[in-house]
């Protein structure tokens, strides 16, 4: 069982509760809505849920600014309701993992409120205070330092102003983290997704930094910082007392540095969310937007697959609450069903544990609001007012349409009733006007829908040792239109072929499979198009999965 840990065959569904389902009719998604929708989640064929933060928060960063780590946001319910969800999920065979956000707290967290008061109270060293700021940039709101008159000092915030960074060098802070972990593990949760966990250890003296990205001066001084592996080992130890797993979010992490978290004596995480493959069109689209490059995407996928093979384990995803919708990015809204299904096959069959973000499984797409004032995400708003200022406002708004995290945060589209069935009253945020076409109820009825394709993918993966544990091999890495990869175990092979083209394109069979007849086990087009296939042509965004017995 050693290399077949329980999380390996699993797949997860990510819930961003505020926009999932409103159970008590106030326009905000909550844990009552989640409870009611558990059968739907289960019906997808996933084995677990990751909850984005559901703790009390002033919502400067929609839950990622926490003001109480051991409670539930009143908008979402209370601890009793959470326990009900947890118990029901467990009864249904679903694991539950929580978001652990400990790089920073909210500025409204009592620790920070105390820390602001002066230099000699029990919380004064909980945060990172300096008399003079260095040159670091925050990732969300200008400079990384904010002055607090009552203390006469500046505090560090790598994210928004309302997200002061914790001082992880303080052993008391690390004890707090462990106590938070135990609190949830004792309640029965099955693990954590650890937010920007590779940022928690800052270089001593906080030296000035060179630009890392166009706007992240200082990052090299806190990414994979000097004490990171010591701190991670302490947290790992807590988890060893429980049957749980840890998944780290590693923004900007390289394969090389990820290996230290995932393998060998410093192993502290079971999986890591990497970002390379989310940059095939941009690096945080707002300021470095480029056309999508399939070759770049394949390179990123394959780099991680090869590096971790036999050593570590991948966390697979193409959407979450931080990225615009994948069909609008790497696919095509025109070939909505075709590209939405193809994109599923492009990552679910790789080696790793697949994550599906709410709405991804029905092919939700980006929302295009009329004015920047309608957006609520702090990073979108800052980006709009910071980059490309010379361009006309329409062009800048277009960039936000392409890149905003708010596109992932519009209410879940359940049916064609008012507010897409998300709520009986006006929802807290705009519903995508395409909900009449893109919704759960409609796709339930149609076996050719994106929804059913996701179910079929997950079922196929779950039923195959080869698709779970097999080796990964990529073919034709330079092909600009087709992504082709194989998963093989013993004599069995699966060949996954994905066209990213709007036009018919020719696919070649790799040498290895010549003379063998594969069984077509999954395809996103109904029926054979004889003419096209005789010529080895794939239809727009076609995906085909073949199984071979290479005896
Ligand atoms: C992570 C979260 C993101 C949040 C940031 C700061 O990247 O996924 O939503 O804004 O950390 O907590
Ligand atoms: Ca509600």
């Amino acid at each position: 069982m050693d290399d077949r840990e329980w999380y390996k065959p699993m797949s997860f569904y990510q819930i961003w509760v505020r926009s999932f389902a409103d159970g008590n009719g106030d326009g905000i998604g909550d844990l009552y809505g989640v409870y009611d929708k558990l059968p739907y989640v289960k019906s997808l064929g996933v084995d677990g849920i990751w909850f984005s933060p559901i703790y009390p928060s002033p919502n400067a960063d929609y839950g990622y600014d926490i003001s109480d780590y051991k409670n539930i946001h009143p908008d979402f319910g209370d601890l009793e309701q959470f326990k009900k969800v947890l118990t029901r999920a467990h009864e249904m065979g679903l694991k539950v993992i929580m978001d652990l956000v400990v790089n920073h707290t909210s500025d409204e967290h009592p620790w920070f409120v105390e820390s602001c008061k002066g230099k000699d109270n029990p919380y004064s060293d909980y945060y990172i205070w300096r008399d003079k700021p260095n040159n670091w940039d925050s990732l969300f709101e200008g400079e990384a330092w904010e002055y607090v008159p009552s203390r006469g000092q500046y505090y560090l915030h790598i994210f928004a102003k309302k997200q002061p960074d914790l001082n992880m060098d303080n052993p008391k802070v690390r004890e707090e983290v462990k106590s938070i972990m135990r609190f949830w593990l004792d309640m029965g949760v099955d693990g954590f997704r650890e937010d920007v966990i590779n940022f928690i250890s800052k270089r001593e003296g906080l030296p000035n930094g060179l630009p890392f990205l166009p706007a992240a001066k200082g990052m090299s001084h806190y990414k994979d910082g000097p004490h990171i592996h010591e701190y991670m080992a302490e947290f790992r130890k807590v988890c060893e007392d429980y049957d749980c797993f840890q998944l780290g979010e590693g923004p900007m992490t390289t394969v090389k540095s990820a290996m230290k978290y995932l393998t060998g004596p410093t192993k502290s995480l079971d999986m890591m969310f990497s970002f390379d493959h989310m940059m095939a069109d941009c690096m945080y689209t707002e300021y470095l937007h480029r056309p999508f490059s399939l070759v770049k995407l394949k390179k990123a996928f394959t780099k991680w697959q090869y590096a971790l093979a036999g050593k570590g384990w991948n966390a697979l995803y193409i959407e979450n609450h931080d990225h615009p919708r994948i069909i609008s990015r790497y696919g095509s809204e025109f070939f909505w069903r075709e590209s939405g299904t193809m994109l599923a096959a492009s990552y679910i069959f790789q080696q790793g544990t697949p994550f599906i973000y709410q709405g991804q499984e029905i092919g939700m797409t980006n929302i295009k609001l009329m004015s920047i004032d309608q957006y609520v995400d702090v990073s979108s708003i800052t980006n709009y007012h910071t980059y490309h200022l010379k361009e006309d406002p329409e062009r800048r708004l277009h960039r936000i349409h392409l890149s905003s995290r708010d596109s992932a945060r519009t209410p879940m589209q359940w049916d064609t009733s008012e507010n897409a069935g998300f709520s009986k009253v006006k929802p807290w945020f705009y519903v995508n006007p395409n909900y009449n076409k893109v919704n759960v109820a409609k796709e339930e009825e149609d076996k050719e829908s994106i929804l059913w394709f996701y179910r079929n993918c997950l079922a196929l993966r779950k039923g195959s040792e080869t698709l779970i544990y097999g080796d990964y091999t990529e073919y034709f890495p330079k092909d600009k239109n087709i992504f082709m990869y194989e998963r093989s175990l013993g004599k069995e092979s699966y060949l996954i072929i994905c066209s990213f083209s709007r036009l018919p394109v020719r696919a070649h069979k790799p040498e290895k499979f010549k003379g063998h007849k594969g069984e077509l086990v999954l395809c996103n087009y109904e029926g054979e198009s004889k003419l096209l296939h005789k010529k080895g042509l794939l239809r727009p965004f076609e995906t085909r999965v073949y199984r071979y017995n290479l005896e």
Side-chain angles (χ1 to χ4, degrees):
M1 187 67 193
D2 211 34
D3 63 340
R4 299 193 169 199
E5 288 88 347
W6 56 259
Y7 55 80
K8 291 188 173 174
M10 293 177 67
S11 56
F12 275 84
Y13 190 69
Q14 181 192 351
I15 299 185
W16 199 80
V17 172
R18 177 163 292 267
S19 287
F20 189 59
D22 175 16
N24 64 357
D26 63 356
I28 299 173
D30 50 49
L31 291 171
Y32 312 103
V34 169
Y35 188 91
D36 293 342
K37 297 294 184 188
L38 285 175
Y40 169 74
V41 174
K42 178 75 183 170
S43 82
L44 300 173
V46 298
D47 312 277
I49 298 170
W50 151 32
F51 284 114
S52 271
I54 49 179
Y55 320 102
S57 159
N59 285 331
D61 188 18
Y62 286 97
Y64 285 88
D65 49 320
I66 298 170
S67 53
D68 180 357
Y69 285 94
K70 298 181 180 170
N71 218 328
I72 296 294
H73 197 304
D75 284 351
F76 299 155
D78 53 21
L79 278 171
E80 281 323 299
Q81 182 59 21
F82 176 73
K83 285 180 194 159
K84 268 178 83 176
V85 169
L86 181 64
T87 307
R88 189 74 196 109
H90 282 165
E91 284 166 4
M92 295 170 86
L94 296 168
K95 303 271 184 193
V96 172
I97 65 172
M98 299 295 271
D99 220 305
L100 184 72
V101 187
V102 293
N103 178 69
H104 44 265
T105 68
S106 161
D107 65 340
E108 296 180 34
H109 193 291
W111 302 337
F112 189 73
V113 174
E114 286 305 306
S115 200
C116 283
K117 289 183 183 160
K119 296 178 188 163
D120 52 5
N121 71 61
Y123 298 98
S124 45
D125 288 335
Y126 267 47
Y127 296 85
I128 301 174
W129 294 97
R130 287 291 177 276
D131 294 335
K132 267 208 224 131
N134 64 13
N135 75 347
W136 294 5
D137 296 312
S138 84
L139 302 180
F140 282 177
E141 271 188 306
E143 288 164 6
W145 297 90
E146 196 63 18
Y147 187 69
V148 174
S150 59
R151 172 139 175 168
Q153 282 188 311
Y154 296 81
Y155 68 85
L156 176 71
H157 64 90
I158 289 178
F159 293 91
K161 287 178 193 158
K162 282 179 72 63
Q163 292 172 296
D165 280 54
L166 280 164
N167 174 17
M168 208 54 77
D169 295 336
N170 180 347
K172 280 197 250 163
V173 171
R174 301 201 298 277
E175 286 314 311
E176 300 277 12
V177 173
K178 291 179 223 170
S179 145
I180 295 164
M181 293 173 84
R182 286 193 200 100
F183 177 84
W184 294 102
L185 290 169
D186 286 337
M187 200 180 294
V189 311
D190 304 289
F192 299 104
R193 175 268 189 190
E194 305 180 4
D195 190 67
V196 294
I197 201 69
N198 56 336
F199 287 2
I200 61 172
S201 164
K202 279 81 176 170
R203 174 145 312 142
E204 283 93 0
L206 310 182
N208 279 336
L210 295 170
F212 186 89
L213 301 169
K217 273 200 289 310
M219 190 182 275
S220 55
H221 296 312
Y222 57 77
K223 190 170 73 77
D224 308 312
H227 300 290
I228 183 75
H229 294 292
E230 294 155 48
Y231 302 162
M232 293 302 284
E234 288 185 33
F235 305 153
R236 184 73 172 172
K237 217 156 177 293
V238 173
C239 286
E240 272 160 17
D241 295 338
Y242 302 83
D243 184 23
C244 70
F245 83 96
Q246 293 171 279
L247 159 64
E249 186 208 20
M252 308 299 146
T253 202
T254 58
V255 180
K256 201 166 158 236
S257 57
M259 294 302 269
K260 296 210 182 109
Y261 297 84
L262 297 172
T263 63
T266 52
K267 173 166 174 168
S268 56
L269 293 170
D270 301 290
M271 291 179 240
M272 216 160 174
F273 281 135
S274 62
F275 279 57
D276 286 346
H277 67 289
M278 299 311 280
M279 293 182 178
D281 58 353
C282 70
M283 198 181 267
Y284 293 104
T285 320
E286 294 87 344
Y287 47 87
L288 264 186
H289 178 234
R290 304 184 209 91
F292 168 68
S293 154
L294 176 62
V295 171
K296 221 171 149 190
L297 176 67
K298 297 197 293 183
K299 228 172 143 178
F301 276 152
T302 298
K303 179 163 76 176
W304 284 81
Q305 288 288 312
Y306 285 165
L308 268 59
K311 299 189 188 124
W313 192 252
N314 275 288
L316 308 170
Y317 77 97
I318 50 172
E319 271 193 25
N320 63 33
H321 64 292
D322 287 334
H323 297 277
R325 294 291 184 173
I326 202 69
I327 292 179
S328 309
R329 281 182 80 178
Y330 293 179
S332 154
E333 289 179 14
F334 183 76
F335 289 106
W336 167 70
R337 200 196 60 82
E338 293 79 1
S339 68
T341 45
M342 180 282 292
L343 285 161
S346 77
Y347 85 105
I348 286 178
F349 299 123
Q350 293 184 37
Q351 192 188 64
T353 298
F355 284 73
I356 295 163
Y357 178 65
Q358 68 187 41
Q360 177 189 337
E361 79 281 16
I362 54 168
M364 282 176 65
T365 58
N366 286 353
I367 193 161
K368 295 166 188 78
L369 297 171
M370 303 278 283
S371 153
I372 187 65
D373 301 331
Q374 294 172 288
Y375 285 84
V376 295
D377 165 40
V378 55
S379 72
S380 303
I381 295 165
T382 300
N383 290 332
Y384 180 87
H385 294 292
T386 310
Y387 304 111
H388 306 290
L389 294 179
K390 291 202 184 106
E391 290 179 356
D392 62 61
E394 249 167 63
R395 172 76 197 145
R396 282 162 56 207
L397 190 62
H398 174 66
R399 289 179 181 278
I400 299 298
H401 293 165
L402 292 175
S403 64
S404 177
R405 304 196 298 179
D406 281 336
S407 277
R409 301 174 181 187
T410 62
M412 178 74 180
Q413 294 162 206
W414 294 101
D415 56 39
T416 54
S417 69
E418 214 182 344
N419 309 316
F422 163 76
S423 175
K424 297 226 166 13
V425 302
K426 190 168 175 255
W428 75 279
F429 194 54
Y430 303 94
V431 174
N432 193 313
N434 69 8
Y435 72 92
N436 275 318
K437 171 179 163 198
V438 182
N439 67 67
V440 173
K442 194 161 172 218
E443 296 186 36
E444 284 285 6
E445 311 256 279
D446 172 11
K447 286 279 156 77
E448 303 299 319
S449 63
I450 298 179
L451 174 61
W452 277 99
F453 196 81
Y454 268 91
R455 286 186 174 132
N456 294 340
C457 285
L458 292 177
L460 182 61
R461 176 183 179 275
K462 193 177 253 175
S464 161
E465 295 261 308
T466 303
L467 286 172
I468 298 168
Y469 301 107
D471 292 336
Y472 169 100
T473 310
E474 194 203 341
Y475 294 98
F476 313 114
K478 299 230 167 68
D479 192 303
K480 291 192 178 67
N481 297 307
I482 296 168
F483 175 37
M484 198 188 291
Y485 64 101
E486 176 195 6
R487 299 295 308 285
S488 60
L489 191 70
K491 292 278 173 236
E492 188 180 61
S493 272
Y494 283 83
L495 189 64
I496 298 100
I497 305 171
C498 302
S499 167
F500 279 70
S501 174
R502 288 165 174 72
L503 299 171
V505 284
R506 188 172 303 281
H508 300 279
K509 225 185 202 182
E511 269 316 306
K512 174 172 178 182
F513 299 97
K514 294 213 168 121
H516 293 276
K517 190 160 163 34
E519 176 198 355
L520 182 67
V521 291
L522 192 69
C523 179
N524 62 346
Y525 275 82
E526 215 181 340
E528 289 285 331
S529 126
K530 281 274 173 342
L531 185 73
L532 286 181
H533 283 104
K534 255 197 198 123
K535 293 194 203 140
L537 286 176
L538 295 171
R539 291 162 280 192
F541 295 100
E542 182 163 1
T543 185
R544 302 175 76 81
V545 180
Y546 289 96
R547 184 158 47 112
Y548 287 89
N549 186 341
L550 300 173
E551 290 290 357

